Amino acid sequence: MQNDELKRFSELIETQSSDELIGLLKDLHPADIAELCNELEPEEAKYIYLLLDNETAPDVLIEMDEDARKRFLDILPPETIAKRFVDHMDSDDAVDIIRELDEEKQEEILSHIEDIEQAGDIVDLLKYDEDTAGGLMGTEMLVVNENWSMPECLKEMRHQAEELDEIYYIYVVDDEERLQGVFPLKKMITSPSVSKIKHVMEKAPVSVHEETPIEEVVQVIEKYDLVAVPVVDSIGRLVGQITVDDVMDQVREQAERDYQLASGLSQDVETDDSVLKQTTARLPWLLIGMLGGIGNSMILGNFDSTFAAHPEMALYIPLIGGTGGNVGTQSSALVVQGLANNSLQSNNTWKQILKESVVALINASIISMLVYAYNFLRFGPTATVSYSVSISLFVVVMFASIFGTLVPMTLERLKIDPAIATGPFISITNDIVGMMFYMLITVLLSQL
């Protein structure tokens, strides 16, 4: 939001010009109001929320930045959070809000929820790990029994629909609440006199288990082009559904985490976070990089006589280190991407290494020949640098490609986020190993 707009809202809040504020807020989307509240102080945001209706206020709260929302909720009493927001939210959104608070406040909020059934659903959902299907699902959905007739089904659907904001699919269950199929809306028109729903439903629908990791849920929705996916328990009973909008939020958050890991940030940070938080997120990898640099200097320090005899060798230190880091990052990035979208399996490690070796062989040959041609023209055919740099580059590219492939696939098998491998870890390792290869090859060629 622009500074002049933000300043205008702050002035209206300060003068308590509620009528003018209501007029301005009425024309804004909940996401825009949330953006405004992110920039305001918690007490100012509280004044804004007092002017919103019960339908808009929960939508705005959900759209707010997590840190700003936490600061805002901290100043509100549990009863207000329950009656102003949670009572008007879907269960999955309510769980997301309550999960951010401490246990004592969670219990107080739950005690003030008017709808006992909704409170029970929230309590059940809070038991799930937030990174599983159960932790992401909502319990609001249209459910019909397979033995109902069409008139009975339509009557029940109208009743259930009054409590829903959106209808994605109509799920069909048996008498034990086990998922049996999906009822196509088209059948209401084409088969109005059908005796039972089970005769026209689409059987064996795609579903996920309540303990399924979010990453797998994303893959299922993407693979089958779904807008929602039902969630079942261990005996096949329908317990909820996950909608595509909830999944997209998770995809975005995961992408941000992976990008930060690949950039050398050890925790999730934002640009508006405190100096201390940003420092603690950046410093660990910077210290590792510093140690890597010291290690490089120690390696190079052992070859003083080599540099004295061939001072031109120092010119190619950045080339060797940079090329190894770049090649390793490229290889690991491709592997991490393949693991993320399920196009590559961790048990295909040797097959992927073989493929990457062929690619590396081609790249290494081209790069080393180009560098040899340059050094041939500059230093002559007999100069040690002409051979050592080209051979070192060839070896470094081959090693970096294989190493960059092997590390993320190994991390995946060890249940460690492979995105770590696309960051400074690969660059630092390849830099150090590349220097060792460079120096050893140079010494060897000098003695021939």
Side-chain angles (χ1 to χ4, degrees), residues 171-182:
Y171 301 111
V172 183
V173 299
D174 61 15
D175 294 334
E176 283 75 39
E177 301 297 324
R178 290 175 298 196
L179 180 65
Q180 298 298 313
V182 174

Side-chain angles (χ1 to χ4, degrees), residues 224-236:
Y224 297 102
D225 293 326
L226 304 173
V227 294
V229 61
V231 183
V232 298
D233 63 12
S234 57
I235 60 174

Side-chain angles (χ1 to χ4, degrees), residues 149-204:
S149 64
M150 185 66 76
E152 189 178 6
C153 177
L154 290 174
K155 180 181 178 181
E156 181 61 27
M157 285 169 56
R158 292 191 188 101
H159 175 70
Q160 293 183 30
E162 293 177 358
E163 305 296 326
L164 302 178
D165 294 328
E166 300 286 346
I167 298 175
Y168 297 94
Y169 297 112
I170 304 168
Y171 301 111
V172 183
V173 299
D174 61 15
D175 294 334
E176 283 75 39
E177 301 297 324
R178 290 175 298 196
L179 180 65
Q180 298 298 313
V182 174
F183 179 42
L185 292 174
K186 181 180 177 181
K187 295 297 183 179
M188 286 192 222
I189 302 172
T190 59
S191 306
S193 59
V194 65
S195 59
K196 291 185 178 181
I197 298 301
K198 63 182 178 182
H199 298 317
V200 293
M201 70 180 183
E202 295 179 358
K203 298 180 180 180

Side-chain angles (χ1 to χ4, degrees), residues 40 52 98 101-102 105 153 155 157 197 215 287 290 365 383 429 439:
L40 296 173
L52 301 175
I98 295 175
L101 307 174
D102 59 70
K105 198 163 188 176
C153 177
K155 180 181 178 181
M157 285 169 56
I197 298 301
E215 293 79 7
L287 291 175
M290 178 197 72
S365 299
T429 304
M439 292 294 98

Side-chain angles (χ1 to χ4, degrees), residues 128-129 132-135 137 208-213 231-234 239:
Y128 292 107
D129 189 314
T132 64
M137 71 181 182
V208 296
H209 188 266
E210 56 191 354
E211 298 297 335
T212 301
V231 183
V232 298
D233 63 12
S234 57
V239 292

Side-chain angles (χ1 to χ4, degrees), residues 271-287:
T271 54
D272 57 352
D273 284 336
S274 67
V275 172
L276 178 61
K277 185 174 181 179
Q278 292 202 29
T279 301
T280 54
R282 298 183 187 189
L283 191 57
W285 273 115
L286 293 178
L287 291 175

